Amino acid sequence: MQNVSEEEQLQSIEAFQSMIRKSENALTNLTQKGNNTTLLKKRLNALYVGLAMLEMAWNQKAHQYTHEELAEARNVLIGLFPSLENSYNKSKASSPQKTLLRRRIKAFELAVQAMDDVVKK
């Protein structure tokens, strides 16, 4: 994995934690309303895996994911890039939203890179 500053590491981990919290809240709301939660569960799992990969790479925390689970999570995260980038391009320059989206995109890129590194070993 590329060299990443401690600040970027912290921001990336916080970005994943924030996305996980928001997704968990959305899952609770969708479940209470009786809506389909399959896609959200898949994305939430990918976020858990992405966070675990970053923590493994930077904090030497172990993970329990198989290569198949890593590959699926990787595909889900990569599938979210277009919508993140689209939102980023539509947001106003120097807005908090643009900063948040930039950090999320960077966090996803780093998580995918960490997954690639694990699969190569």
Side-chain angles (χ1 to χ4, degrees), residues 15-25 44 47-48 51:
F16 266 95
Q17 290 169 336
S18 171
M19 289 183 285
I20 288 169
R21 277 191 308 275
K22 288 179 182 187
S23 296
E24 287 172 340
N25 289 337
L44 185 56
L47 294 172
Y48 289 137
L51 177 60

Side-chain angles (χ1 to χ4, degrees), residues 1 50 53-54 56-57 109-119:
M1 176 176 267
M53 292 298 98
L54 294 181
M56 180 209 63
E109 290 170 345
L110 293 169
V112 167
Q113 185 179 359
M115 289 176 199
D116 290 343
D117 290 349
V118 168
V119 172

